[in-house]
Amino acid sequence: IEQIKVKEEKRKNYIEEIEVEQSIKLKDWKEAASRLLKLEKLDRSYKKISYYRGIIQYNQKKYKQAVKSLEHFISHKSKNNLYEVSEMASALTSYTNSLYELGNDSKFLRVANAMLMDTSKYSQNKFMVSVRERVAFLEIELLLKSKNKKAGSIENKIVDFKKKFNKSIYMARVNFLLGKLLVSNNKKKEGLDLLKKVIDNDQTPN
């Protein structure tokens, strides 16, 4: 009887989780939040509750809550909790975007540096490549805004970005930033040549 009860509970959890995921796919965040509450009532300790909650909160622009939920999910990743790479990529995207939206630059830079190192083994995974590309790009943007920026270090990061993400959708902006940095870093000719190339290629940086 106990085994039957456990199986029934798992079945209910599975059905409710499918409903949550379906609502997320449809971007019906209100329904997704409602379904998640039902799933949480069935099993408060379910390992992916914080993941779903964080994704929903991020899309509802509740960035502070999203950061808290996704930090819980990411920090509890272990050998016993093996998640799909696509799920971890989604969690990292929502987490880092939330930090960026909150304007928490110092924390974003710390997280970005650690995340790019930790996810380097996924450099061929399409889900993680997209996340790594955006985080690396935003890291460059924020470093350039920093009062204590080190031009040489940022220049190296930009060059590294261009090597790793040579087909990046951010390439025009990155080249523009590199050109400006070179000019300010006593490499005026090299910088102006790059800026001219950006303009000649009709690449309008955002």
Side-chain angles (χ1 to χ4, degrees):
I1 295 175
E2 188 62 31
Q3 286 182 339
I4 294 173
K5 185 179 179 181
V6 170
K7 284 182 179 179
E8 179 61 20
E9 287 176 352
K10 286 184 176 181
R11 187 185 70 82
K12 288 180 180 178
N13 287 1
Y14 180 67
I15 291 172
E16 206 55 59
E17 183 176 8
I18 290 175
E19 295 289 351
V20 172
E21 290 183 343
Q22 185 64 24
S23 297
I24 288 174
K25 285 180 181 178
L26 293 172
K27 298 184 179 181
D28 186 343
W29 308 115
K30 186 176 180 180
E31 179 65 17
S34 175
R35 289 290 183 179
L36 183 60
L37 282 175
K38 292 179 181 178
L39 177 59
E40 192 170 6
K41 285 179 181 179
L42 289 171
D43 186 358
R44 185 176 294 274
S45 64
Y46 185 58
K47 61 188 179 182
K48 286 172 64 177
I49 292 288
S50 57
Y51 166 72
Y52 292 127
R53 184 187 293 119
I55 297 298
I56 293 166
Q57 289 168 333
Y58 167 68
N59 284 282
Q60 291 178 325
K61 298 185 178 181
K62 298 177 181 178
Y63 300 123
K64 285 186 179 180
Q65 295 96 317
V67 165
K68 186 176 180 180
S69 297
L70 292 167
E71 278 181 348
H72 181 272
F73 172 74
I74 295 167
S75 66
H76 283 73
K77 180 180 179 296
S78 67
K79 291 181 180 179
N80 295 324
N81 290 336
L82 299 177
Y83 306 120
E84 295 287 339
V85 176
S86 59
E87 290 175 351
M88 187 53 65
S90 180
L92 289 170
T93 297
S94 298
Y95 177 53
T96 51
N97 281 352
S98 292
L99 289 175
Y100 187 79
E101 291 292 340
L102 289 169
N104 195 336
D105 295 357
S106 58
K107 185 170 183 177
F108 179 95
L109 289 172
R110 290 197 306 273
V111 168
N113 187 56
M115 193 217 76
L116 290 170
M117 285 177 29
D118 291 346
T119 60
S120 59
K121 62 183 177 181
Y122 298 112
S123 59
Q124 300 302 314
N125 181 279
K126 65 179 182 179
F127 298 108
M128 203 59 80
V129 166
S130 178
V131 181
R132 286 170 54 78
E133 177 186 351
R134 177 165 173 76
V135 169
F137 169 69
L138 292 177
E139 180 187 32
I140 290 168
E141 288 271 18
L142 292 181
L143 284 171
L144 285 167
K145 284 170 53 181
S146 173
K147 293 180 180 178
N148 301 316
K149 66 182 179 185
K150 296 179 180 178
S153 175
I154 301 173
E155 183 181 332
N156 290 336
K157 279 189 176 291
I158 294 177
V159 171
D160 187 53
F161 179 95
K162 292 179 67 173
K163 286 179 181 178
K164 290 179 178 176
F165 310 106
N166 57 0
K167 295 182 180 179
S168 174
I169 59 173
Y170 307 112
M171 193 57 71
R173 175 68 177 170
V174 168
N175 281 329
F176 176 73
L177 293 174
L178 179 57
K180 286 181 64 179
L181 184 65
L182 289 170
V183 170
S184 66
N185 198 26
N186 296 319
K187 297 179 181 179
K188 189 172 181 179
K189 185 180 184 305
E190 188 180 348
L192 290 175
D193 286 345
L194 182 55
L195 289 172
K196 184 177 182 299
K197 188 180 293 184
V198 171
I199 295 169
D200 290 347
N201 289 339
D202 196 26
Q203 295 179 323
T204 306
N206 296 322

